[in-house]
Amino acid sequence: MTVDAPAPDHSSDTPAPAARTAHALKRLVIGQALRSEDLGRTLLPKRLALPIFASDPLSSVAYATQEILLVLAVGGTAFLYLAPWVAAAVVLLMAVVVLSYRQVVHAYPSGGGSYEVVRSNLGPNAALVVAASLLVDYVMTVAVSVASGVDNIISALPSLAGHRVSMAVGFVVLLAAVNLRGVRESGRAFAAPTYLFIGGILLMVGTGLFRVAMGHGPVASSAVFGIVPVTGKDSLTGLGLLLLALRAFASGCTALTGVEAISNGVPAFRVPKARNAATTLAVMGTAAVAMFAGITVLALTAKVHITDSACRLSGFPGDCHTAAQPTVIAQLAAAVFGGNHSMLFYGIQTVTALVLILAANTAFNGFPLLASILAEHRYLPHQLHTRGDRLAFSNGILALAVVAAALLWIYDASVTSLIHLYILGVFTSFTLSQFGMVKHWNQVLATQADPRARRSTMRSRAINTVGACVTALVLVIVLITKFTEGAWLAVVAALLLWTTMPGIHRHYDRVAEELAVQDPHADSVRPAQIHGIILVAKVHKPTLRALAYAQAFRTTTLTALTVSVEPDATARLEQQWADFDIDVPLHVLDSPFREVTRPVVGYVREFRRTSPRDAVAVFIPEYVVGHWWEQLLHNQSALWLKSRLLFTPGVMVISVPWQLTSSHHADHPARRAPGTVRRGEPHTLASLATVRERPPSGL
């Protein structure tokens, strides 16, 4: 029978003001803890799932066009005519990938996305390649999205350029805090900016194209600048021109990042889960294609000129070495809505910056979910599979935030520097998952007899076959064009993860095999005798409590043990022992080199050598203090002794705590409970200080 645990009674506890303040701050940021059975209430309707899982691919349109133009600008304005063809290829690829992942959602509604597809059809090694690639790509999603959002803020407010890194790291911390409140809470917080961004971009594109149709189209502020080519038009022909177009295509493929997140998060949808997830995928794909195509057409019509360095813009005003170029979105908004001081311009910049920063939320949902699945399969530490107070995978969220913030700091929150590490992982997962789906449909066809069902399956297989071939081609293009520009770092990171995860899995397997019960009788043999040893530094209340506790165990033998570091102190201890008439023999170990740990460990191990069938119980009196600084005032011999004794078979180490007055006003006991630690909350271990008051007295 299972019953609910009673609510803990803390009426007698009086937490310190600092502890109360910290707890109140935590609840303000994260919210009240939820019970496990409340998990069903966190399931998402489609209107909240879209901003949570699709904010990354939707927001990618804000810089995908810009990345294409940056690459083509290597030849000045001579190669900008390739932009429509490159954009068309990106649109076609996006359609193929969205259709392919709709097949994944219906075939694998349990979640896991690419990882689960590849694991089921291509085996664990290929699945770990996908997992490692996606984990790296999720980190890059946070870094690139936040850095791009900060770029748009600086485009509107150039005076903030000197605070780029601190702003970026601050936004990562904010995103982590919101996601720690739970999936549903983050969806509510992020829904409005995402929908305002979609509406704002479509309004800008519609207004701009209407003005073009009326014969007075918008003109970008950079249209008057020329572009100094890095290479001449005549120097790039044939294969060189093809490689330039492929490189621009690879950069434009950033618009596809995050598409797989919905397939990973199917369990987070309301029922019918698969159908709702597929519908959300379709809406996301349609909106992303419309915005990306519109921005590209408008940018070319308005003659937007943008380069990797403002010094390559002939006629650029001011200091080109320090001045920041406005983003493509900023230039289009200013051209369409009447300048960079109009309300609609600031509105577009605001929602664009917000949605780019919030696009990292896709990774804050995808990374913890995937890490949780990998932890469940024993490829990552088990702590990543546990849920926090708000039923979110808190440890995964915190790990992602720390690594992404470190990348932003290392690369100065530069989109140009970070973008080269991007999209390699996502296309690795795209390609392998599509090949996995082809194998899945082949297996289904082998068992199907109904002609209608077979036609449907063959259609699905055809979609995934096309998706596999196209994404494999893109993966090769991305690898060739971006490897030397920094993508090799992402490859190295993924390889390190790929080699580490099997090692973790083997460790868990070895531990499980070692701990498995083979013979209940042989594995539960009782020791012939139990010898009790009490470690003593001096005669005081903690020592007497440990003595009483040890005597209650009724061990076969019981000995008090002290180490003689200073003869006078040892003599006083022996005299006190006799004066108090303690009926437990006191054994003194001589230590001419003033060591404490080695003589005690040697004495205990001697018991094991002489009586291997016996067990030894070592009782250690310990202080429990209430403040961290008090731990610095007490010797840590107990910690060293424990660390050595725990490696000795047949030895049990038993702590007998003595709570000092300061511990009575320490942090709430419930906040240090094992359950709290298991959920990954910060906790402070009780002090394991020795009972000795002065160095000569032994322990």
Side-chain angles (χ1 to χ4, degrees), residues 72-123:
L72 295 178
V74 69
T77 59
F79 300 117
L80 293 182
Y81 73 92
L82 294 173
W85 300 102
V86 172
V90 172
V91 167
L92 178 62
L93 178 61
M94 185 177 291
V96 170
V97 170
V98 169
L99 287 173
S100 299
Y101 271 99
R102 280 173 58 87
Q103 309 299 323
V104 172
V105 164
H106 286 295
Y108 292 90
S110 59
S114 300
Y115 169 75
E116 190 60 37
V117 171
V118 176
R119 181 172 177 266
S120 301
N121 296 286
L122 303 181

Side-chain angles (χ1 to χ4, degrees), residues 78 107 134 197 377 385 431:
L134 281 176
F197 171 74
H377 294 164
H385 185 56
T431 302

Side-chain angles (χ1 to χ4, degrees), residues 210-549:
F210 177 77
R211 288 180 55 182
V212 171
M214 291 294 100
H216 48 87
V219 178
S221 58
S222 62
V224 298
F225 305 145
I227 300 179
V228 178
V230 175
T231 181
K233 179 178 180 180
D234 296 333
S235 63
L236 276 180
T237 58
L239 183 59
L241 187 60
L242 176 62
L243 288 175
L244 178 66
L246 291 178
R247 185 180 166 199
F249 173 66
S251 294
C253 286
T254 53
L256 279 77
T257 55
V259 171
E260 82 292 339
I262 291 177
S263 65
N264 289 337
V266 176
F269 282 79
R270 285 181 179 174
V271 292
K273 296 177 181 291
R275 189 174 72 184
N276 286 339
T279 302
T280 306
L281 256 172
V283 172
M284 179 271 296
T286 303
V289 165
M291 290 190 292
F292 172 70
I295 290 171
T296 304
V297 170
L298 199 58
L300 294 173
T301 304
K303 301 187 185 319
V304 172
H305 292 164
I306 190 166
T307 65
D308 55 354
S309 171
C311 294
R312 288 182 51 216
L313 292 175
S314 57
F316 186 82
D319 186 357
C320 64
H321 296 286
T322 58
Q325 296 178 75
T327 62
V328 168
I329 293 293
Q331 293 189 48
L332 291 179
V336 170
F337 296 125
N340 57 6
H341 295 291
S342 65
M343 291 298 295
L344 284 175
F345 167 79
Y346 282 111
I348 291 292
Q349 288 304 101
T350 300
V351 295
T352 300
L354 277 174
V355 81
L356 281 168
I357 293 167
L358 299 182
N361 192 60
T362 297
F364 272 106
N365 283 277
F367 183 98
L369 276 171
L370 179 58
S372 168
I373 294 170
L374 289 167
E376 185 181 10
H377 294 164
R378 300 191 292 190
Y379 288 111
L380 287 179
H382 287 322
Q383 293 90 330
L384 293 170
H385 185 56
T386 55
R387 295 181 181 268
D389 279 0
R390 301 287 294 179
L391 300 176
F393 295 111
S394 304
N395 292 330
I397 292 170
L398 294 173
L400 175 60
V402 169
V403 178
L407 274 176
L408 287 165
W409 179 71
I410 292 170
Y411 286 93
D412 293 325
S414 168
V415 177
T416 304
S417 300
L418 291 166
I419 200 73
H420 299 306
L421 309 179
Y422 206 20
I423 78 172
L424 190 63
V426 74
F427 274 98
T428 302
S429 67
F430 282 171
T431 302
L432 289 176
S433 68
Q434 297 313 305
F435 279 116
M437 285 301 297
V438 171
K439 184 176 180 181
H440 167 78
W441 295 127
N442 286 336
Q443 293 171 343
V444 172
L445 281 171
T447 60
Q448 277 184 333
D450 181 58
R452 179 178 297 179
R454 286 181 63 84
R455 284 195 298 272
S456 175
T457 301
M458 291 175 69
R459 183 171 59 251
S460 297
R461 184 179 64 176
I463 292 172
N464 289 125
T465 301
V466 173
C469 295
V470 173
T471 54
L473 176 62
V474 175
L475 176 60
V476 173
I477 293 170
V478 170
L479 192 59
I480 293 173
T481 59
K482 290 185 174 290
F483 189 83
T484 57
E485 296 178 351
W488 65 271
L489 284 172
V491 174
V492 170
L495 282 173
L496 285 174
L497 274 173
W498 182 68
T499 55
T500 301
M501 287 190 287
I504 294 173
H505 188 75
R506 286 192 296 271
H507 168 76
Y508 280 130
D509 282 348
R510 284 197 302 268
V511 171
E513 183 180 357
E514 184 178 342
L515 300 182
V517 177
Q518 303 296 332
D519 183 346
H521 298 290
D523 292 336
S524 59
V525 175
R526 295 183 180 181
Q529 298 182 92
I530 298 179
H531 303 283
I533 298 174
I534 308 163
L535 302 185
V536 176
K538 65 181 299 184
V539 179
H540 51 16
K541 291 179 179 179
T543 299
L544 297 179
R545 173 179 288 183
L547 280 167
Y549 190 73

Side-chain angles (χ1 to χ4, degrees), residues 191-220:
T194 303
Y195 287 118
L196 285 173
F197 171 74
I198 295 172
I201 294 297
L202 293 178
L203 174 64
M204 181 185 74
V205 169
T207 304
L209 295 179
F210 177 77
R211 288 180 55 182
V212 171
M214 291 294 100
H216 48 87
V219 178

